[in-house]
Amino acid sequence: MILMASLVFTGCAQLVTEHPAKPRFSPSASADAGLRRAEQAIVDGRKLEAREPVAAIGAYLSAVEAATVRLQRDPKDGVALHDYQFALSRVFAVIRERHVDPWTKPLQVSAAQGAYTLTVRHDPRKLWQPGDYDFMPVDDVAIGGTDFKKPVRVEGLGAPLVAIRRKPLPDAEKLFLESGKIYYGVTAVARFENKRCVLTFEDPLATTSVSMGGHTFPLAADFSTSTAMLLADERLDRLGMSRLFNPGKYEQTARISRLQPYDRKKIPVLFIHGLDSTPETWIGMFNALRADPEIRQRYQFWFYSYPSGDPYFYPAMVLRRELDEIEKAFPHERRMVVIGHSMGSMIARLLVTDSGDKIWYDYFKTSPTNTPLSAEDRQLLEGCLIFKHRPEIGRVIFISGPHRGSDLASDWFGRAFSHLVHLPTKLAALGVHAGALVTGNKAQQHLWKMPNSIDTLSPSNRFVQAVNTIPLTPGIRFNQIMGDRGRGDTPKSSDGVVAYWSSHLDGAESELIVPSGHPAHENPKAIVEVRRILKRHLRNEN
């Protein structure tokens, strides 16, 4: 029954798979004499890896150098690009697998073509010192699952790698990282100064081309493998149900996180998941959006994760505090786009709404200062019931948003499911303290209590009804996407959880009905629509 309820409210979580792969190499029949020598060096290096790893690195470097010479003559030689990438990737594979250290000092290696000195160009950023990372070639790992059916890759010069931090980064939450474990996609480029090979690490989200030998090449890149490996390691999907039933236990997991270095010139896109979910639910859309070069270059992606058992006005309050902190740490020049799914849409709605004390007055029929609560209770309740629109938000995309609630939350099934949610002690206590003061209670029957998330998805919930008397703040564009399960019966449609009468809001810049159930954010047509909206947003903001 619990599993069924989870599926009804959120849909099955998409899966990510990751396992080792052994890349194969086949010499090209069209290679010229120079490349044939390079490819023979690759074959030799494969044989040397197990017993003489340093010699294998020398063989691979000679292959990279031969491919470089060929590319200087013909920068469009696809065989040379492939050989360059394959040989350089094997250099990093040997370094990682055989624990070779070229980072603390230059590495001297020998090859049939002579000795090489392998060194790395210094990076001034403290966080990105090569010695702190293992570098895994992306062709050494196979990723899959419904989120990564088609990994996002760009062909070009360089060896796409996943930089894996060896030791977790302390205080990761202060840097707005998902965890101290870092998996990040970089591209290695090798340049030769006589027999000195200098490695550089390029960020493909910041750099799209690279120069070598007087020519400019597109930078090879992989935008999927690092994210897939992080998800496979962290297994964030397992937190969804635990955080629904026991939100107080996971209170510290409520935060904004980012998967890429901050760039103040790029527009933030903030994803907010729904009930019984985690940021992993967005990875299919995230992967598809990153496949678009313009979106990669103009946007950066952030995620808000939170325990979904709390009434949604509480994680909205926490998110406002997070936005205050991220604005201090990473001030951005462009107003952000917020995308919310299901209950995440409701959190997003509170970010673009000015309530004043209207909702407070609806509950207590008096002002906050005249409500007999302790200072601590009043401060917490004001944070939940009184909110202002966030000026840093320029657009919101609501997906399957139950703005007026869902009948499933108030029927027998939803009520039974609601009883499994245990609120944090401070919220439960606040409900007791404030409940006796709420007007309209039937004291002989029961007092008002603090609702949980499922309660605040009910059409009869007092907070839901009060919010729907307040319009969204004028001047903030919003778009809507919802599912009709392919029945084509809008406006009588439903996605199986949220009906059209609940998800529709007047005044939207656009509205799209897709043939989907409640997880409309996973629908290919919805993803295409989000891409269209983001591109239109660029034109509006310029």
Side-chain angles (χ1 to χ4, degrees):
M1 183 65 72
I2 293 175
L3 177 60
M4 289 177 61
S6 174
L7 298 183
V8 166
F9 278 102
T10 63
C12 287
Q14 293 186 336
L15 299 177
V16 177
T17 62
E18 174 257 322
H19 56 85
K22 190 66 175 178
R24 296 181 178 180
F25 177 76
S26 298
S28 172
S30 60
D32 67 2
L35 283 182
R36 284 198 295 273
R37 286 193 296 273
E39 294 183 341
Q40 182 59 51
I42 292 174
V43 173
D44 294 341
R46 301 289 267 183
K47 296 175 182 178
L48 291 168
E49 283 186 15
R51 67 180 188 276
E52 298 181 59
V54 175
I57 291 174
Y60 291 137
L61 288 180
S62 66
V64 176
E65 184 181 31
T68 299
V69 171
R70 176 58 184 165
L71 288 170
Q72 289 173 344
R73 293 199 303 268
D74 182 3
K76 295 183 179 181
D77 189 322
V79 175
L81 275 174
H82 172 268
D83 289 350
Y84 180 103
Q85 181 179 118
F86 189 90
L88 186 55
S89 294
R90 303 286 68 72
V91 169
F92 282 93
V94 174
I95 288 172
R96 180 174 182 270
E97 294 169 6
R98 302 300 171 183
H99 308 290
V100 179
D101 179 15
W103 316 125
T104 55
K105 63 180 181 179
L107 178 68
Q108 305 295 327
V109 299
S110 297
Q113 287 73 27
Y116 292 93
T117 299
L118 180 63
T119 187
V120 62
R121 182 177 297 169
H122 174 70
D123 192 317
R125 296 173 298 176
K126 184 177 179 181
L127 186 60
W128 295 106
Q129 299 307 305
D132 294 335
Y133 293 84
D134 286 325
F135 296 96
M136 174 179 282
V138 298
D139 58 6
D140 268 0
V141 59
I143 61 173
T146 54
D147 287 333
F148 292 100
K149 290 180 179 178
K150 187 178 181 181
V152 179
R153 289 171 180 158
V154 174
E155 295 301 322
L157 183 73
L161 311 169
V162 179
I164 308 167
R165 189 173 178 87
R166 291 173 177 169
K167 294 181 180 179
L169 190 69
D171 298 324
E173 66 278 0
K174 294 181 181 179
L175 296 172
F176 296 94
L177 298 172
E178 176 57 41
S179 75
K181 298 178 181 179
I182 294 179
Y183 292 79
Y184 193 71
V186 298
T187 301
V189 176
R191 296 177 176 87
F192 290 85
E193 302 169 1
N194 295 320
K195 289 299 182 179
R196 184 170 178 263
C197 177
V198 181
L199 299 175
T200 59
F201 296 99
E202 305 291 345
D203 181 353
L205 288 174
T207 302
T208 59
S209 61
V210 63
S211 297
M212 187 181 72
H215 300 287
T216 299
F217 299 85
L219 182 70
D222 179 288
F223 297 101
S224 299
T225 303
S226 59
T227 304
M229 291 182 68
L230 174 64
L231 293 174
D233 185 7
E234 292 288 289
R235 287 299 310 274
L236 299 177
D237 58 301
R238 296 181 297 181
L239 287 176
M241 190 173 293
S242 299
R243 297 197 303 177
L244 169 62
F245 292 151
N246 295 290
K249 181 179 178 181
Y250 298 93
E251 187 172 14
Q252 298 305 314
T253 66
R255 62 176 181 267
I256 294 174
S257 61
R258 56 193 175 90
L259 292 179
Q260 63 190 86
Y262 170 71
D263 187 337
R264 67 181 304 155
K265 294 187 179 299
K266 291 186 177 183
I267 300 173
V269 176
L270 177 63
F271 293 106
I272 309 176
H273 64 76
L275 188 74
D276 183 22
S277 192
T278 70
E280 186 178 17
T281 193
W282 292 108
I283 295 303
M285 178 179 289
F286 168 75
N287 196 49
L289 292 176
R290 266 200 172 175
D292 187 288
E294 184 179 26
I295 289 177
R296 283 199 306 270
Q297 293 169 21
R298 302 292 298 278
Y299 287 98
Q300 57 190 321
F301 297 98
W302 298 347
F303 299 84
Y304 178 51
S305 182
Y306 63 97
S308 65
D310 292 325
Y312 72 81
F313 50 71
Y314 182 74
M317 177 192 71
V318 175
L319 176 54
R320 290 195 295 274
R321 294 175 180 174
E322 284 284 289
L323 289 171
D324 289 339
E325 293 303 313
I326 203 167
E327 176 65 23
K328 295 175 185 177
F330 302 114
H332 43 278
E333 298 179 357
R334 311 288 292 276
R335 293 198 299 170
M336 70 171 58
V337 178
V338 178
I339 306 178
H341 172 248
S342 192
M343 194 170 78
S345 288
M346 311 313 298
I347 294 172
R349 179 175 179 174
L350 299 189
L351 299 179
V352 291
T353 304
D354 292 292
S355 70
D357 62 1
K358 179 177 174 52
I359 298 176
W360 186 286
Y361 195 84
D362 180 79
Y363 277 91
F364 302 107
K365 302 305 180 188
T366 188
S367 67
T369 55
N370 291 329
T371 305
L373 291 168
S374 69
E376 183 179 359
D377 282 348
R378 182 181 294 108
Q379 182 181 21
L380 177 56
L381 200 56
E382 283 182 345
C384 292
L385 301 183
I386 299 176
F387 36 86
K388 298 179 180 179
H389 80 277
R390 302 292 305 195
E392 68 267 44
I393 296 175
R395 181 183 298 274
V396 178
I397 303 175
F398 299 119
I399 304 179
S400 306
H403 297 286
R404 299 175 185 86
S406 168
D407 289 332
L408 282 178
S410 54
D411 65 13
W412 69 270
F413 185 72
R415 300 318 311 150
F417 198 59
S418 175
H419 287 305
L420 299 173
V421 179
H422 302 285
L423 286 177
T425 302
K426 64 180 178 182
L427 284 182
L430 177 61
V432 173
H433 301 157
L437 306 174
V438 174
T439 61
N441 280 323
K442 298 179 180 179
Q444 291 78 12
Q445 298 178 18
H446 60 84
L447 290 176
W448 178 87
K449 67 180 181 67
M450 179 65 67
N452 59 42
S453 57
I454 298 175
D455 298 327
T456 53
L457 294 177
S458 169
S460 61
N461 179 262
R462 192 168 188 166
F463 182 80
V464 172
Q465 293 179 346
V467 167
N468 277 289
T469 66
I470 306 172
L472 275 65
T473 300
I476 301 176
R477 298 182 176 93
F478 70 96
N479 307 78
Q480 302 177 118
I481 301 172
M482 54 274 277
D484 68 353
R485 295 177 287 177
R487 298 182 179 183
D489 54 348
T490 302
K492 296 181 180 181
S493 60
S494 170
D495 63 18
V497 175
V498 179
Y500 179 80
W501 59 260
S502 176
S503 57
H504 170 79
L505 293 175
D506 291 335
E509 185 179 84
S510 68
E511 178 178 282
L512 179 68
I513 312 295
V514 298
S516 166
H518 189 54
H521 62 302
E522 300 172 359
N523 182 272
K525 292 185 177 180
I527 293 173
V528 170
E529 173 69 355
V530 170
R531 185 168 63 229
R532 182 196 69 81
I533 293 169
L534 292 180
K535 286 177 173 287
R536 179 183 178 88
H537 185 75
L538 290 174
R539 295 195 295 272
N540 291 335
E541 291 293 300
N542 287 335

mmCIF file of all heavy atoms in Angstrom, residues 473-502:
data_model
loop_
_atom_site.group_PDB
_atom_site.id
_atom_site.type_symbol
_atom_site.label_atom_id
_atom_site.label_comp_id
_atom_site.label_asym_id
_atom_site.label_seq_id
_atom_site.Cartn_x
_atom_site.Cartn_y
_atom_site.Cartn_z
ATOM 1 N N THR A 473 2.330 37.672 -8.087
ATOM 2 C CA THR A 473 2.829 39.038 -8.191
ATOM 3 C C THR A 473 2.911 39.459 -9.657
ATOM 4 O O THR A 473 3.505 38.747 -10.475
ATOM 5 C CB THR A 473 4.212 39.155 -7.539
ATOM 6 O OG1 THR A 473 4.101 38.801 -6.162
ATOM 7 C CG2 THR A 473 4.753 40.567 -7.663
ATOM 8 N N PRO A 474 2.314 40.583 -10.031
ATOM 9 C CA PRO A 474 2.363 41.031 -11.425
ATOM 10 C C PRO A 474 3.799 41.253 -11.891
ATOM 11 O O PRO A 474 4.680 41.624 -11.116
ATOM 12 C CB PRO A 474 1.579 42.360 -11.377
ATOM 13 C CG PRO A 474 0.719 42.270 -10.158
ATOM 14 C CD PRO A 474 1.529 41.475 -9.170
ATOM 15 N N GLY A 475 4.009 41.017 -13.174
ATOM 16 C CA GLY A 475 5.318 41.272 -13.768
ATOM 17 C C GLY A 475 6.239 40.069 -13.806
ATOM 18 O O GLY A 475 7.306 40.137 -14.416
ATOM 19 N N ILE A 476 5.850 38.962 -13.165
ATOM 20 C CA ILE A 476 6.655 37.743 -13.206
ATOM 21 C C ILE A 476 5.993 36.766 -14.173
ATOM 22 O O ILE A 476 4.856 36.331 -13.949
ATOM 23 C CB ILE A 476 6.793 37.109 -11.809
ATOM 24 C CG1 ILE A 476 7.456 38.097 -10.843
ATOM 25 C CG2 ILE A 476 7.608 35.814 -11.894
ATOM 26 C CD1 ILE A 476 7.560 37.600 -9.421
ATOM 27 N N ARG A 477 6.684 36.448 -15.243
ATOM 28 C CA ARG A 477 6.112 35.549 -16.242
ATOM 29 C C ARG A 477 6.023 34.136 -15.690
ATOM 30 O O ARG A 477 6.902 33.695 -14.950
ATOM 31 C CB ARG A 477 6.954 35.554 -17.521
ATOM 32 C CG ARG A 477 7.028 36.893 -18.227
ATOM 33 C CD ARG A 477 7.849 36.760 -19.504
ATOM 34 N NE ARG A 477 7.874 37.993 -20.265
ATOM 35 C CZ ARG A 477 8.808 38.927 -20.165
ATOM 36 N NH1 ARG A 477 9.811 38.743 -19.321
ATOM 37 N NH2 ARG A 477 8.760 40.020 -20.890
ATOM 38 N N PHE A 478 4.970 33.424 -16.094
ATOM 39 C CA PHE A 478 4.893 32.015 -15.713
ATOM 40 C C PHE A 478 4.274 31.204 -16.838
ATOM 41 O O PHE A 478 3.516 31.716 -17.669
ATOM 42 C CB PHE A 478 4.131 31.828 -14.397
ATOM 43 C CG PHE A 478 2.647 32.093 -14.447
ATOM 44 C CD1 PHE A 478 1.742 31.041 -14.616
ATOM 45 C CD2 PHE A 478 2.144 33.375 -14.301
ATOM 46 C CE1 PHE A 478 0.386 31.273 -14.642
ATOM 47 C CE2 PHE A 478 0.783 33.620 -14.323
ATOM 48 C CZ PHE A 478 -0.108 32.563 -14.491
ATOM 49 N N ASN A 479 4.655 29.938 -16.886
ATOM 50 C CA ASN A 479 4.190 28.988 -17.890
ATOM 51 C C ASN A 479 3.673 27.748 -17.181
ATOM 52 O O ASN A 479 4.067 27.458 -16.043
ATOM 53 C CB ASN A 479 5.329 28.607 -18.839
ATOM 54 C CG ASN A 479 6.006 29.799 -19.462
ATOM 55 O OD1 ASN A 479 6.820 30.453 -18.824
ATOM 56 N ND2 ASN A 479 5.700 30.101 -20.703
ATOM 57 N N GLN A 480 2.812 27.002 -17.865
ATOM 58 C CA GLN A 480 2.205 25.821 -17.268
ATOM 59 C C GLN A 480 2.310 24.624 -18.197
ATOM 60 O O GLN A 480 2.137 24.751 -19.419
ATOM 61 C CB GLN A 480 0.721 26.075 -16.954
ATOM 62 C CG GLN A 480 0.499 27.246 -16.037
ATOM 63 C CD GLN A 480 -0.979 27.521 -15.802
ATOM 64 O OE1 GLN A 480 -1.455 27.442 -14.688
ATOM 65 N NE2 GLN A 480 -1.700 27.853 -16.849
ATOM 66 N N ILE A 481 2.619 23.474 -17.614
ATOM 67 C CA ILE A 481 2.616 22.200 -18.335
ATOM 68 C C ILE A 481 1.873 21.203 -17.469
ATOM 69 O O ILE A 481 2.126 21.120 -16.258
ATOM 70 C CB ILE A 481 4.057 21.700 -18.597
ATOM 71 C CG1 ILE A 481 4.852 22.723 -19.419
ATOM 72 C CG2 ILE A 481 4.039 20.348 -19.308
ATOM 73 C CD1 ILE A 481 6.333 22.385 -19.553
ATOM 74 N N MET A 482 0.969 20.459 -18.060
ATOM 75 C CA MET A 482 0.230 19.445 -17.303
ATOM 76 C C MET A 482 -0.113 18.266 -18.206
ATOM 77 O O MET A 482 -0.076 18.382 -19.436
ATOM 78 C CB MET A 482 -1.031 20.018 -16.650
ATOM 79 C CG MET A 482 -1.968 20.719 -17.592
ATOM 80 S SD MET A 482 -1.561 22.465 -17.862
ATOM 81 C CE MET A 482 -2.327 23.233 -16.453
ATOM 82 N N GLY A 483 -0.425 17.144 -17.608
ATOM 83 C CA GLY A 483 -0.722 15.942 -18.376
ATOM 84 C C GLY A 483 -2.213 15.639 -18.408
ATOM 85 O O GLY A 483 -2.963 16.007 -17.492
ATOM 86 N N ASP A 484 -2.636 14.940 -19.468
ATOM 87 C CA ASP A 484 -4.036 14.492 -19.564
ATOM 88 C C ASP A 484 -4.139 12.992 -19.824
ATOM 89 O O ASP A 484 -5.189 12.496 -20.194
ATOM 90 C CB ASP A 484 -4.781 15.266 -20.646
ATOM 91 C CG ASP A 484 -4.289 14.947 -22.061
ATOM 92 O OD1 ASP A 484 -3.270 14.212 -22.203
ATOM 93 O OD2 ASP A 484 -4.901 15.418 -23.039
ATOM 94 N N ARG A 485 -3.017 12.277 -19.637
ATOM 95 C CA ARG A 485 -2.947 10.822 -19.861
ATOM 96 C C ARG A 485 -3.290 10.432 -21.293
ATOM 97 O O ARG A 485 -3.697 9.307 -21.570
ATOM 98 C CB ARG A 485 -3.848 10.082 -18.861
ATOM 99 C CG ARG A 485 -3.414 10.218 -17.426
ATOM 100 C CD ARG A 485 -4.369 9.532 -16.474
ATOM 101 N NE ARG A 485 -5.611 10.270 -16.354
ATOM 102 C CZ ARG A 485 -6.659 9.879 -15.639
ATOM 103 N NH1 ARG A 485 -6.609 8.726 -14.980
ATOM 104 N NH2 ARG A 485 -7.756 10.614 -15.586
ATOM 105 N N GLY A 486 -3.140 11.387 -22.221
ATOM 106 C CA GLY A 486 -3.385 11.102 -23.628
ATOM 107 C C GLY A 486 -4.835 11.048 -24.021
ATOM 108 O O GLY A 486 -5.161 10.649 -25.146
ATOM 109 N N ARG A 487 -5.728 11.488 -23.151
ATOM 110 C CA ARG A 487 -7.166 11.368 -23.436
ATOM 111 C C ARG A 487 -7.732 12.537 -24.225
ATOM 112 O O ARG A 487 -8.825 12.442 -24.783
ATOM 113 C CB ARG A 487 -7.929 11.210 -22.119
ATOM 114 C CG ARG A 487 -7.526 9.949 -21.357
ATOM 115 C CD ARG A 487 -8.321 9.785 -20.090
ATOM 116 N NE ARG A 487 -7.940 8.557 -19.377
ATOM 117 C CZ ARG A 487 -8.499 8.117 -18.264
ATOM 118 N NH1 ARG A 487 -9.500 8.822 -17.712
ATOM 119 N NH2 ARG A 487 -8.083 7.010 -17.687
ATOM 120 N N GLY A 488 -7.032 13.660 -24.230
ATOM 121 C CA GLY A 488 -7.502 14.804 -24.999
ATOM 122 C C GLY A 488 -8.823 15.368 -24.521
ATOM 123 O O GLY A 488 -9.601 15.868 -25.336
ATOM 124 N N ASP A 489 -9.078 15.317 -23.216
ATOM 125 C CA ASP A 489 -10.384 15.740 -22.689
ATOM 126 C C ASP A 489 -10.320 17.016 -21.868
ATOM 127 O O ASP A 489 -11.208 17.289 -21.058
ATOM 128 C CB ASP A 489 -11.001 14.626 -21.845
ATOM 129 C CG ASP A 489 -10.067 14.137 -20.742
ATOM 130 O OD1 ASP A 489 -8.880 14.497 -20.778
ATOM 131 O OD2 ASP A 489 -10.537 13.396 -19.862
ATOM 132 N N THR A 490 -9.274 17.816 -22.060
ATOM 133 C CA THR A 490 -9.191 19.103 -21.371
ATOM 134 C C THR A 490 -10.375 19.977 -21.816
ATOM 135 O O THR A 490 -10.715 19.976 -23.005
ATOM 136 C CB THR A 490 -7.861 19.793 -21.711
ATOM 137 O OG1 THR A 490 -6.795 18.930 -21.340
ATOM 138 C CG2 THR A 490 -7.714 21.109 -20.994
ATOM 139 N N PRO A 491 -11.053 20.702 -20.921
ATOM 140 C CA PRO A 491 -10.697 21.047 -19.537
ATOM 141 C C PRO A 491 -11.190 20.050 -18.476
ATOM 142 O O PRO A 491 -11.044 20.334 -17.284
ATOM 143 C CB PRO A 491 -11.369 22.394 -19.354
ATOM 144 C CG PRO A 491 -12.594 22.310 -20.184
ATOM 145 C CD PRO A 491 -12.216 21.496 -21.394
ATOM 146 N N LYS A 492 -11.743 18.940 -18.884
ATOM 147 C CA LYS A 492 -12.190 17.955 -17.896
ATOM 148 C C LYS A 492 -11.084 16.945 -17.584
ATOM 149 O O LYS A 492 -11.326 15.934 -16.930
ATOM 150 C CB LYS A 492 -13.428 17.225 -18.417
ATOM 151 C CG LYS A 492 -14.638 18.125 -18.615
ATOM 152 C CD LYS A 492 -15.829 17.329 -19.115
ATOM 153 C CE LYS A 492 -17.045 18.232 -19.303
ATOM 154 N NZ LYS A 492 -18.230 17.468 -19.776
ATOM 155 N N SER A 493 -9.881 17.232 -18.035
ATOM 156 C CA SER A 493 -8.790 16.271 -17.958
ATOM 157 C C SER A 493 -8.173 16.202 -16.564
ATOM 158 O O SER A 493 -8.392 17.062 -15.704
ATOM 159 C CB SER A 493 -7.707 16.640 -18.975
ATOM 160 O OG SER A 493 -7.199 17.927 -18.698
ATOM 161 N N SER A 494 -7.360 15.162 -16.390
ATOM 162 C CA SER A 494 -6.591 14.958 -15.167
ATOM 163 C C SER A 494 -5.354 14.147 -15.535
ATOM 164 O O SER A 494 -5.373 13.367 -16.491
ATOM 165 C CB SER A 494 -7.420 14.204 -14.122
ATOM 166 O OG SER A 494 -6.619 13.797 -13.026
ATOM 167 N N ASP A 495 -4.288 14.328 -14.773
ATOM 168 C CA ASP A 495 -3.101 13.494 -14.991
ATOM 169 C C ASP A 495 -3.130 12.232 -14.135
ATOM 170 O O ASP A 495 -2.161 11.493 -14.046
ATOM 171 C CB ASP A 495 -1.816 14.283 -14.739
ATOM 172 C CG ASP A 495 -1.665 14.770 -13.301
ATOM 173 O OD1 ASP A 495 -2.346 14.250 -12.410
ATOM 174 O OD2 ASP A 495 -0.846 15.682 -13.061
ATOM 175 N N GLY A 496 -4.279 11.983 -13.497
ATOM 176 C CA GLY A 496 -4.437 10.836 -12.614
ATOM 177 C C GLY A 496 -4.252 11.185 -11.155
ATOM 178 O O GLY A 496 -4.665 10.449 -10.264
ATOM 179 N N VAL A 497 -3.626 12.335 -10.891
ATOM 180 C CA VAL A 497 -3.433 12.823 -9.523
ATOM 181 C C VAL A 497 -3.982 14.234 -9.383
ATOM 182 O O VAL A 497 -4.681 14.549 -8.414
ATOM 183 C CB VAL A 497 -1.937 12.807 -9.143
ATOM 184 C CG1 VAL A 497 -1.707 13.437 -7.771
ATOM 185 C CG2 VAL A 497 -1.400 11.380 -9.150
ATOM 186 N N VAL A 498 -3.664 15.082 -10.362
ATOM 187 C CA VAL A 498 -4.091 16.481 -10.322
ATOM 188 C C VAL A 498 -4.985 16.761 -11.531
ATOM 189 O O VAL A 498 -4.588 16.496 -12.673
ATOM 190 C CB VAL A 498 -2.877 17.427 -10.327
ATOM 191 C CG1 VAL A 498 -3.334 18.882 -10.299
ATOM 192 C CG2 VAL A 498 -1.973 17.139 -9.134
ATOM 193 N N ALA A 499 -6.173 17.296 -11.275
ATOM 194 C CA ALA A 499 -7.111 17.624 -12.342
ATOM 195 C C ALA A 499 -6.776 18.989 -12.945
ATOM 196 O O ALA A 499 -6.144 19.838 -12.296
ATOM 197 C CB ALA A 499 -8.535 17.628 -11.801
ATOM 198 N N TYR A 500 -7.231 19.192 -14.163
ATOM 199 C CA TYR A 500 -6.966 20.459 -14.849
ATOM 200 C C TYR A 500 -7.531 21.642 -14.071
ATOM 201 O O TYR A 500 -6.909 22.705 -14.010
ATOM 202 C CB TYR A 500 -7.568 20.415 -16.259
ATOM 203 C CG TYR A 500 -7.364 21.678 -17.047
ATOM 204 C CD1 TYR A 500 -6.153 21.938 -17.685
ATOM 205 C CD2 TYR A 500 -8.380 22.639 -17.149
ATOM 206 C CE1 TYR A 500 -5.958 23.102 -18.410
ATOM 207 C CE2 TYR A 500 -8.188 23.812 -17.865
ATOM 208 C CZ TYR A 500 -6.982 24.037 -18.487
ATOM 209 O OH TYR A 500 -6.789 25.200 -19.196
ATOM 210 N N TRP A 501 -8.696 21.481 -13.443
ATOM 211 C CA TRP A 501 -9.289 22.587 -12.697
ATOM 212 C C TRP A 501 -8.381 23.045 -11.552
ATOM 213 O O TRP A 501 -8.460 24.181 -11.102
ATOM 214 C CB TRP A 501 -10.675 22.227 -12.150
ATOM 215 C CG TRP A 501 -10.721 21.035 -11.222
ATOM 216 C CD1 TRP A 501 -11.092 19.766 -11.541
ATOM 217 C CD2 TRP A 501 -10.381 21.017 -9.822
ATOM 218 N NE1 TRP A 501 -11.011 18.943 -10.442
ATOM 219 C CE2 TRP A 501 -10.592 19.681 -9.375
ATOM 220 C CE3 TRP A 501 -9.947 21.971 -8.906
ATOM 221 C CZ2 TRP A 501 -10.350 19.302 -8.048
ATOM 222 C CZ3 TRP A 501 -9.718 21.586 -7.597
ATOM 223 C CH2 TRP A 501 -9.911 20.267 -7.172
ATOM 224 N N SER A 502 -7.502 22.154 -11.101
ATOM 225 C CA SER A 502 -6.579 22.509 -10.032
ATOM 226 C C SER A 502 -5.268 23.082 -10.567
ATOM 227 O O SER A 502 -4.721 24.032 -9.999
ATOM 228 C CB SER A 502 -6.274 21.278 -9.174
ATOM 229 O OG SER A 502 -5.320 21.565 -8.181
#
